[in-house]
Amino acid sequence: MSIVHGVKKLGVIGAGQMGLGIAFVSAVHAKVPVLLHDRSAAQIKSGLSLMDKLLAKDVSKGKITQESAKEARDRVAVVEGIANFRDVDMVVEAVSENLALKQGIFRSLSAELSPKTILASNTSSISITKIAASTIPEGKTASDPEGQQSASRVVGLHFFNPVPVMKLVELIAAVQTSQETLERARAFAIACGKEVTSSQDVPGFVANALLMPFINEAIMCLEKGVATRDDIDKTLKLGMNHPMGPLQLADFIGLDTCLAIQQTLYAGTGDSKYRPSVLLERMVDAQWLGKKSGKGFYDYPSQ
């Protein structure tokens, strides 16, 4: 039986929490070989160590067998350079929320890979249309057949952190994205065990257009002295039945990521309601990035 998504081999760029998580669900649930690339050898080592821990945890809980865990781990291979992605059917980019960085990556992918390869971004806020435009071959225009074809294979696949746990993927079409690309991307996300929702290509899409202003307002409440850190989080946990408060959630997301998304919302809309909190900016300046740096609104002693 043919695979609806047609992905027989996947490439993932970025071995951080998101990229590793995407590689994990692709290998475990979609059961496709994954080529993982990151410029940082330390990040690769850390990511693969996390994958081993996740697999061991699933085995201990009886979710998968030891044999299945070994098969999943064997499906993930590390490669140096995107030239090694030439035989993949889809690439998912999962690097920092920086438009110029993503455009450079997609420009290189477009030049190196088959024109049939789907190019997906895991961005949580940046314009898929702008990313797609960067794939137009040099010397061609957006109206040329080559330009149209290249941009039509770009799509947004926004997984949520932690990827192995969170059930949702946001599917975002650029104005150039073809229906075939959308359908195959949706089918692949479902094969990874996810539920899929669709959003137009607007700043923040649905999830972060709602979540980030909420977090930003909580930070402003702290900044203005409206309430303490603990009382802000307790109010939302006990009064609204949220599993964690907005300040703790910001720490888990990463304050640098929160700031980057908030800046994208502000720049993309020009609406002052999206202006990032000064306190958030200063904390990122201080490298207080949340759980991943050991300090944010809360302290996270190293294990």
Side-chain angles (χ1 to χ4, degrees):
M1 185 175 69
S2 63
I3 302 173
V4 176
H5 52 70
V7 179
K8 298 176 182 177
K9 185 179 290 187
L10 178 75
V12 176
I13 300 178
Q17 279 191 322
M18 296 305 299
L20 190 280
I22 293 165
F24 178 89
V25 296
S26 300
V28 172
H29 298 291
K31 293 181 169 57
V32 299
V34 179
L35 302 182
L36 182 64
H37 169 68
D38 196 295
R39 292 180 299 178
S40 167
Q43 188 64 71
I44 287 285
K45 182 179 179 180
S46 174
L48 293 179
S49 175
L50 175 59
M51 183 171 191
D52 290 338
K53 291 177 182 177
L54 291 172
L55 288 169
K57 186 176 181 180
D58 280 357
V59 170
S60 69
K61 290 186 173 182
K63 292 183 177 180
I64 58 175
T65 64
Q66 185 65 53
E67 181 181 5
S68 295
K70 183 180 185 305
E71 289 173 352
R73 181 63 181 81
D74 289 345
R75 291 187 186 107
V76 179
V78 176
V79 296
E80 294 185 10
I82 60 174
N84 291 293
F85 285 166
R86 283 178 180 157
D87 62 343
V88 304
D89 302 293
M90 176 188 283
V91 176
V92 180
E93 164 272 312
V95 303
S96 302
E97 287 291 278
N98 180 292
L99 175 60
L101 174 62
K102 291 179 187 291
Q103 287 176 320
I105 289 171
F106 275 75
R107 192 174 295 115
S108 297
L109 289 172
S110 176
E112 292 278 357
L113 307 188
S114 162
K116 295 181 179 180
T117 304
I118 293 176
L119 307 179
S121 176
N122 183 57
T123 180
S124 57
S125 62
I126 292 173
S127 169
I128 303 299
T129 299
K130 288 182 179 179
I131 293 173
S134 68
T135 68
I136 297 171
E138 188 174 352
K140 301 296 181 180
T141 69
S143 60
D144 289 335
E146 297 92 339
Q148 292 183 45
Q149 194 283 328
S150 188
S152 74
R153 59 190 171 138
V154 177
V155 66
L157 268 183
H158 176 208
F159 289 79
F160 289 76
N161 188 32
V163 179
V165 176
M166 302 300 282
K167 296 178 180 179
L168 185 68
V169 168
E170 266 188 317
L171 178 68
I172 305 99
V175 298
Q176 308 98 315
T177 306
S178 70
Q179 191 61 37
E180 179 188 354
T181 297
L182 271 180
E183 290 173 357
R184 289 180 61 194
R186 177 187 293 274
F188 183 74
I190 292 171
C192 289
K194 304 303 181 185
E195 298 282 342
V196 181
T197 60
S198 297
S199 171
Q200 292 187 12
D201 186 21
V202 297
F205 316 134
V206 173
N208 281 324
L210 296 173
L211 176 63
M212 286 303 156
F214 164 65
I215 288 176
N216 196 53
E217 284 293 332
I219 299 171
M220 285 185 171
C221 279
L222 181 65
E223 180 182 322
K224 295 172 183 176
V226 173
T228 65
R229 174 201 69 181
D230 291 349
D231 281 351
I232 290 169
D233 276 359
K234 184 184 289 186
T235 297
L236 272 297
K237 285 194 290 184
L238 302 186
M240 312 299 175
N241 203 29
H242 289 197
M244 66 175 68
L247 301 178
Q248 184 183 16
L249 178 57
D251 275 358
F252 275 67
I253 293 170
L255 301 190
D256 53 338
T257 300
C258 291
L259 177 58
I261 295 170
Q262 198 65 30
Q263 288 171 331
T264 297
L265 290 170
Y266 188 33
T269 64
D271 194 327
S272 62
K273 72 180 181 181
Y274 294 121
R275 179 184 63 80
S277 159
V278 173
L279 175 59
L280 176 60
E281 293 176 335
R282 293 294 81 80
M283 291 180 74
V284 172
D285 289 344
Q287 293 296 300
W288 295 357
L289 308 181
K291 191 172 185 292
K292 62 185 173 184
S293 70
K295 185 174 182 61
F297 293 106
Y298 296 82
D299 293 329
Y300 304 89
S302 58
Q303 300 297 319

